[in-house]
């Protein structure tokens, strides 16, 4: 009898442990399944096209736009900047080879105990070579990022949370908590609009599913009239629910990027992109 | 004489009531009009972004259509609570807590309730 | 004549005292509201418009409209209190929203 109780207790503990601490991979599989079941018409690989993966009418317009992509100028500007040597004679290539490195970011740096995004790495490359860091969010940095993303098209999203580093898991968990927490005067969580709300109409606009949200940055957005990074978009989505936004490349947004990118592991990078 | 007094006594209150009743009706109308304005204003209620209501154009579809309100909400307070703080009923609701978070004023909450009850 | 002057200057003094104390009251309320805002920010929950209201309050006070200034301060203070309550609520709620 005692033995049975003990065995049961062990079993119960194990079950509740795994329920409480579903790992990132369990999270990702459930996340992916949620969206592929919610939008059975959409092939999994197509979620990288955001709202256009679930809304045929707007997809038509977008395909037309893609014939003369509005982000092309930005890729060109990025290429010129890439080819122009720094004052010390070196260049971006000394940091990033041919620039096709999108698939390596974001990653957890166990030595530094922080998340390194591609935009952060671009500025660190500049500073290591005696150049001023660029302003995050848009402008020149977005151009370099557009060029590198273009060079990296087709690479797989593959974020790794090192299992032997509890700090990495903690950073991932904070990003996850951010995504699922309501904030702002209007009291919305990201998941309210891009999970349960995805596909719904807000006035004339449909809400895009979160799966694939990170694949195509930086983006030329008609509403902005220029290029913006993923963190610029995070800021916009925070402010539209009347929450104060965080700075691009703040720890909060890097954690959010880590979590959200992990959720899209296995999909392809297809940046830069164009959106309404 | 007595008759006259009786008439005055009887009619007096009635005469006094008449103008106030008019005032009340006006106040009600004003509240209903205010309620509609606040409900449709994108920077205030913006109810249309989620609810079909009152033939408003381009309604969203995240919440149920707001129709037959009086029949469905016989208790005014229940309706008011849904506008003031929908989290009370459902802490995960995506409907903003208009009163609780001061998105609109107490008076505007009341006005919206008055307006909804005409739908 | 003499009496009148004294009376007037006493009046002016009283008025300026009440002005000073109203200003001091505003400054204190503003500071308390800004501290609340930072408290909300420290838990990651500052709202978008709170800082703007505090700025507008300062401007109104500078233009001598203390009534408007105090109203804006009160609004900012309330926002930050609501934001802090919201954070406390969400700490318990967010995990039941996770897609599993």
């Amino acid at each position: 009898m005692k033995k049975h109780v003990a065995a049961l207790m062990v079993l119960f503990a194990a079950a509740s442990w795994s329920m409480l601490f579903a790992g990132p991979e369990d999270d990702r599989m459930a996340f992916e399944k949620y969206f592929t079941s919610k939008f059975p018409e959409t092939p999994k690989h197509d979620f990288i096209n955001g709202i256009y993966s679930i809304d045929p009418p707007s997809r038509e317009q977008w395909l037309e736009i893609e014939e003369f992509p509005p982000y092309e100028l930005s890729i060109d500007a990025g290429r010129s900047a890439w080819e122009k040597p720094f004052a010390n004679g070196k260049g971006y290539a000394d940091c990033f080879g041919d620039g096709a490195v999108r698939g390596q970011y974001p990653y957890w740096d166990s030595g530094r105990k922080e998340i390194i995004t591609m935009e952060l790495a671009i500025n660190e490359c500049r500073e290591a070579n005696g150049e001023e860091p660029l302003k995050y969010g848009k402008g020149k940095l977005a151009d370099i990022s557009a060029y590198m993303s273009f060079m990296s098209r087709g690479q797989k999203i593959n974020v790794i949370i090192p299992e032997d580093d509890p700090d990495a898991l903690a950073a991932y968990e904070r990003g996850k908590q951010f995504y699922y927490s309501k904030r702002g005067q209007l009291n919305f969580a990201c998941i309210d609009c891009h999970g349960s709300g995805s596909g719904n109409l807000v006035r004339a606009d449909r809400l895009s599913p979160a799966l694939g949200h990170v694949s195509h940055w930086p983006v030329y957005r008609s509403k902005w009239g220029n290029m913006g990074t993923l963190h610029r978009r995070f800021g916009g989505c925070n402010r539209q629910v009347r929450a104060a936004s965080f700075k691009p490349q703040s720890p909060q947004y890097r954690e959010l990027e880590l979590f959200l990118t992990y959720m899209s592991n296995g999909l392809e990078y297809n940046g830069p992109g164009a959106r309404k | 004489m007595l008759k006259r007094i009786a008439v005055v006594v009887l009619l007096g209150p009635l005469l006094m009531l008449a103008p106030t009743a008019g005032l009340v009706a006006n106040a009600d109308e004003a509240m209903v009009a205010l309620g509609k304005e606040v409900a449709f204003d994108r920077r205030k209620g913006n109810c249309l972004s989620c609810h079909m209501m009152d033939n408003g154009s381009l309604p969203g579809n995240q919440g149920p259509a707001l129709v037959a309100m009086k029949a469905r909400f016989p208790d005014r307070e229940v309706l008011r609570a849904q506008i003031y703080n929908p989290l009370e009923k459902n802490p995960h609701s995506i409907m903003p807590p208009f009163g609780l978070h001061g998105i609109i004023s107490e008076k505007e909450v009341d006005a919206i309730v008055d307006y909804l009850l005409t739908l | 004549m003499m009496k009148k002057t004294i009376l007037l200057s006493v009046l002016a003094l009283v008025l300026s005292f009440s002005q000073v104390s109203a200003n001091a009251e505003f400054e204190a309320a503003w500071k308390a509201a800004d501290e609340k805002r930072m408290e909300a920010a420290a838990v990651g929950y500052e709202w978008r418009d709170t800082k703007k209201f505090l700025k507008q309050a300062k401007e109104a006070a500078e233009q001598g409209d203390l009534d408007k200034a105090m109203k804006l301060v009160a609004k900012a203070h309330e926002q930050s209190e609501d934001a802090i309550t919201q954070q406390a609520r969400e700490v318990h709620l967010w995990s039941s929203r996770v897609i599993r």
Side-chain angles (χ1 to χ4, degrees):
Chain A
M1 179 61 197
K2 254 192 187 155
K3 243 190 198 161
H4 280 214
V5 172
L8 263 176
M9 272 168 68
V10 167
L11 208 75
F12 180 74
S16 46
W17 176 265
S18 70
M19 261 164 66
L20 276 175
F21 299 97
E25 196 51 19
D26 302 300
D27 289 348
R28 190 194 65 75
M29 286 189 300
F31 202 84
E32 184 181 291
K33 184 151 171 280
Y34 177 84
F35 289 103
T36 49
S37 323
K38 189 166 177 154
F39 303 104
E41 313 274 287
T42 303
K44 192 175 105 187
H45 66 81
D46 201 53
F47 279 98
I48 56 179
N49 296 318
I51 188 62
Y52 313 120
S53 69
I54 61 161
D55 188 32
S58 62
R59 188 185 186 95
E60 290 297 313
Q61 294 170 8
W62 169 67
L63 286 174
E64 272 171 37
I65 289 173
E66 280 281 335
E67 285 178 27
F68 302 97
Y71 48 75
E72 209 146 67
L73 285 174
S74 175
I75 299 177
D76 290 345
R79 182 183 286 114
S80 307
W82 183 273
E83 285 162 358
K84 190 168 167 249
F86 298 143
N88 69 359
K90 296 201 168 162
Y92 291 108
D94 293 289
C95 303
F96 303 113
D98 64 357
V101 295
R102 193 71 191 85
Q104 298 169 20
Y105 298 93
Y107 70 90
W108 173 259
D109 186 325
S110 283
R112 291 170 56 177
K113 296 274 176 215
E114 64 174 327
I115 297 156
I116 312 297
T117 64
M118 193 168 89
E119 281 76 18
L120 194 79
I122 291 171
N123 264 346
E124 289 188 344
C125 170
R126 291 179 60 86
E127 289 182 89
N129 286 290
E131 299 285 319
E132 289 288 311
L134 298 170
K135 226 170 119 322
Y136 288 118
K138 54 185 173 183
K140 291 193 171 116
L141 186 101
D143 292 340
I144 309 274
S145 170
Y147 174 68
M148 292 169 73
S149 295
F150 181 68
M151 296 297 287
S152 316
R153 277 189 173 179
Q155 290 182 352
K156 280 254 164 15
I157 300 174
N158 181 29
V159 177
I160 294 160
I161 312 291
E163 272 170 27
D164 57 354
D165 190 342
D167 293 328
L169 193 61
Y172 165 91
E173 284 291 333
R174 284 193 298 274
K176 175 173 157 187
Q177 179 169 359
F178 194 111
Y179 203 79
Y180 286 103
S181 296
K182 286 176 180 287
R183 36 169 45 78
Q185 189 184 27
L186 300 186
N187 202 51
F188 278 94
C190 311
I191 199 68
D192 289 339
C193 284
H194 297 300
S196 36
S198 60
N200 285 352
L201 275 175
V202 178
R203 301 262 186 180
D205 288 319
R206 222 170 265 286
L207 290 163
S208 59
L211 187 62
H213 253 179
V214 294
S215 68
H216 52 282
W217 299 89
V219 154
Y220 181 93
R221 194 165 171 228
S222 323
K223 198 183 146 202
W224 291 334
N226 53 36
M227 304 289 291
T229 62
L230 178 62
H231 291 197
R232 182 178 178 190
R233 180 78 238 197
F234 287 170
C237 277
N238 273 156
R239 283 191 300 275
Q240 71 171 321
V241 302
R242 303 190 191 165
S245 52
F246 295 85
K247 292 204 168 70
Q249 302 304 325
S250 58
Q252 287 87 349
Y253 282 175
R254 278 191 271 160
E255 285 158 6
L256 188 55
E257 177 174 343
L258 185 80
F259 164 74
L260 200 54
T261 313
Y262 192 99
M263 290 301 101
S264 288
N265 267 0
L267 298 179
E268 277 182 10
Y269 278 113
N270 61 337
R275 293 289 188 271
K276 266 190 287 196
Chain B
M1 180 63 194
L2 249 176
K3 240 188 202 164
R4 239 196 222 159
I5 290 174
V7 166
V8 169
V9 166
L10 276 175
L11 274 183
L14 274 181
L15 284 171
M16 274 161 71
L17 261 181
T20 8
L23 269 182
V24 168
N26 282 342
D28 280 356
E29 266 169 41
M31 279 298 265
V32 168
L34 173 67
K36 178 166 181 165
E37 191 185 313
V38 174
F40 277 60
D41 186 335
R42 279 175 191 246
R43 310 226 326 258
K44 292 204 161 165
N46 199 15
C47 318
L48 266 181
S49 72
C50 293
H51 294 284
M52 221 190 303
M53 65 192 291
D54 210 359
N55 292 321
S57 65
L58 293 176
N61 62 0
Q62 306 225 77
L66 301 181
V67 290
M69 299 307 282
K70 209 160 202 162
R72 295 195 302 123
F73 288 91
D75 184 351
R76 181 190 166 91
E77 280 315 303
V78 174
L79 181 55
R80 192 181 195 278
Q82 174 70 28
I83 316 293
Y84 188 85
N85 180 18
L87 304 175
E88 208 174 292
K89 211 166 138 204
N90 168 15
H92 298 296
S93 178
I94 60 159
M95 177 160 153
F98 288 98
L100 183 74
H101 277 187
I103 301 164
I104 59 180
S105 69
E106 296 278 337
K107 184 182 170 196
E108 287 168 334
V109 173
D110 289 328
I112 287 193
V113 175
D114 286 349
Y115 163 60
L116 287 181
L117 287 172
T118 69
L119 297 182
Chain C
M1 179 60 202
M2 186 69 179
K3 253 189 188 162
K4 225 181 197 174
T5 323
I6 291 175
L7 208 74
L8 270 178
S9 46
V10 165
L11 205 74
L13 210 70
V14 167
L15 271 177
S16 69
F17 266 136
S18 70
Q19 192 59 35
V20 165
S21 76
N23 268 328
E25 198 187 321
F26 166 75
E27 288 300 334
W30 193 93
K31 196 159 163 266
D34 197 44
E35 273 162 15
K36 249 314 161 227
R37 180 190 64 77
M38 289 190 277
E39 214 179 293
V43 290
Y45 264 70
E46 186 181 347
W47 288 1
R48 185 189 65 188
D49 300 331
T50 312
K51 219 185 243 170
K52 185 175 79 190
F53 292 148
L54 287 171
K55 191 161 161 260
Q56 288 170 348
K58 267 254 153 77
E59 284 161 8
E62 272 158 24
Q63 284 160 15
D65 192 346
L66 274 187
D67 200 37
K68 183 176 169 198
M70 285 304 272
K71 276 196 183 122
L72 282 160
V73 162
K75 201 150 103 173
H77 201 115
E78 208 171 301
Q79 283 212 333
S80 298
E81 275 177 348
D82 285 348
I84 290 163
T85 311
Q86 180 184 38
Q87 192 269 343
R89 196 166 60 225
E90 282 300 306
V91 167
H92 303 292
L93 287 172
W94 75 270
S95 60
S96 52
R97 256 172 238 135
V98 173
I99 294 172
R100 290 174 219 276

